Amino acid sequence: MGTTRRARKNASAMKMVGALLALHREVAGYTQSALGQRSVLGEEMIASIEQGRRPLKPDVAEQLDELLDTKGTLSVAVSRMPEVDLVPMWAEEFLDQEREAIAISSYENQVVPGLLQTEAYGRAVFGTRVPFYEDEVPQLVAARMERQAILHRREPPITCFVLWEPVVRAPTGGRDVWAEQVRHLLACSELPGLMLQVLPLERTTHAGFSGPFVLLETPEHQRLAYVETQRGSQLIADPDEVAILTQKCAMLRSQALTPEDTKGLLDRLLGEQ
């Protein structure tokens, strides 16, 4: 129930800001297309913000305030939006793009990717947060489980996950939680269009030393990249930067075990417990 309430609260605030933008745009005599061209955001982005599907970011609000001569109205509205307790604002756009993506590629060297986590594993991961807020963990886990629905759609995205071997060996949450997670990875590897590969610990060099990242392809075939740090993240649209991470992803896939050999490794790990 807590997750549903948070999502509705955030959606309402985004729609309010979107309606405010639409009102000021119309008063200024712009169509969505014209404002999109003038602001270099594009018609689709303007429409998404006005419909409450994407948040209006502070820097964009400032730009639109200047273009529409709204005396800072949009910037103030964005700054006064209710805090998003469960999902920080900097991750909202990534989650929106993830829900609509037709292809997702991920490299992870810390924990199992959220799209592949079991409920118990997710609880263990969120239980390591500093500071720790026990009351939020059930809601956070529920939200993470909801994200996984995209893997079970009638037409799921094509997905590729490369995990560094320590990720699948670490007994996160204890041996029982770990074993359940490994079995879940094996089950996920059988899903249509999902490829799971483990990057062996024995590799003396590989393309993932700079850390984890996610690549997305939108229904419009735009390619995006997402990188996350301890206290923030970046959704990257610059074609040159995305191309570099795409090349890294291709190298990691060639350096990792094949999907078949990955299943064999996971089976052996379960047999060794």
Side-chain angles (χ1 to χ4, degrees):
M1 182 177 294
T3 301
T4 302
R5 184 166 57 250
R6 178 207 67 84
R8 185 165 58 245
K9 178 181 179 182
N10 186 41
S12 298
M14 287 169 59
K15 287 179 180 178
M16 180 274 294
V17 173
L20 191 61
L21 171 59
L23 175 63
H24 285 302
R25 172 182 57 76
E26 292 168 359
V27 169
Y30 285 100
T31 64
Q32 289 180 342
S33 177
L35 183 59
Q37 292 176 1
R38 182 79 186 278
S39 64
V40 199
L41 292 173
E43 180 179 359
E44 181 187 349
M45 178 66 79
I46 294 294
S48 294
I49 293 172
E50 291 187 355
Q51 293 163 14
R53 293 189 289 111
R54 290 184 182 177
L56 179 58
K57 301 299 179 62
D59 58 334
V60 177
E62 290 180 9
Q63 180 188 9
L64 292 174
D65 273 330
E66 184 174 345
L67 284 174
L68 301 174
D69 192 26
T70 50
K71 316 299 184 189
T73 301
L74 295 174
S75 296
V76 171
V78 169
S79 68
R80 296 295 189 270
M81 282 182 68
E83 282 191 20
V84 182
D85 295 325
L86 295 183
V87 180
M89 191 171 184
W90 41 259
E92 285 281 357
E93 187 170 0
F94 165 70
L95 294 179
D96 288 342
Q97 296 287 358
E98 182 187 68
R99 278 190 290 271
E100 299 177 6
I102 61 173
I104 302 171
S105 297
S106 169
Y107 168 65
E108 182 57 72
N109 62 3
Q110 300 292 328
V111 295
V112 171
L115 289 176
L116 302 180
Q117 291 180 9
T118 64
E119 188 172 338
Y121 187 97
R123 280 198 300 271
V125 170
F126 285 122
T128 66
R129 294 200 319 167
V130 178
F132 176 63
Y133 299 107
E134 184 176 1
D135 292 344
E136 292 184 2
V137 172
Q139 300 173 57
L140 289 164
V141 174
R144 179 153 293 180
M145 295 301 104
E146 288 175 10
R147 283 175 58 199
Q148 299 176 5
I150 65 173
L151 300 178
H152 304 280
R153 294 192 309 226
R154 178 176 298 180
E155 295 184 10
I158 299 298
T159 50
C160 172
F161 299 91
V162 178
L163 281 61
W164 194 33
E165 187 173 340
V167 171
V168 298
R169 285 188 175 273
T172 302
R175 301 302 293 183
D176 291 342
V177 171
W178 169 84
E180 179 190 29
Q181 179 63 68
V182 173
R183 287 192 292 269
H184 184 65
L185 290 174
L186 281 167
C188 287
S189 70
E190 301 295 336
L191 292 173
L194 190 151
M195 288 163 282
L196 176 65
Q197 296 177 259
V198 168
L199 180 66
L201 185 58
E202 64 190 27
R203 290 282 185 266
T204 56
T205 185
H206 59 76
F209 285 124
S210 296
F213 59 89
V214 179
L215 298 172
L216 302 173
E217 182 177 352
T218 72
E220 297 76 32
H221 303 293
Q222 180 185 12
R223 298 181 185 278
L224 304 170
Y226 179 76
V227 291
E228 195 167 288
T229 62
Q230 288 276 347
R231 301 296 297 164
S233 69
Q234 184 179 11
L235 187 63
I236 303 168
D238 181 83
D240 292 336
E241 295 297 322
V242 175
I244 291 172
L245 290 174
T246 301
Q247 293 164 6
K248 285 191 175 188
C249 185
M251 292 178 68
L252 285 165
R253 292 188 62 184
S254 69
Q255 294 162 343
L257 299 176
T258 66
E260 291 74 19
D261 289 341
T262 292
K263 293 177 187 178
L265 171 63
L266 297 177
D267 278 328
R268 290 194 299 275
L269 289 178
L270 287 174
E272 293 171 2
Q273 68 168 331

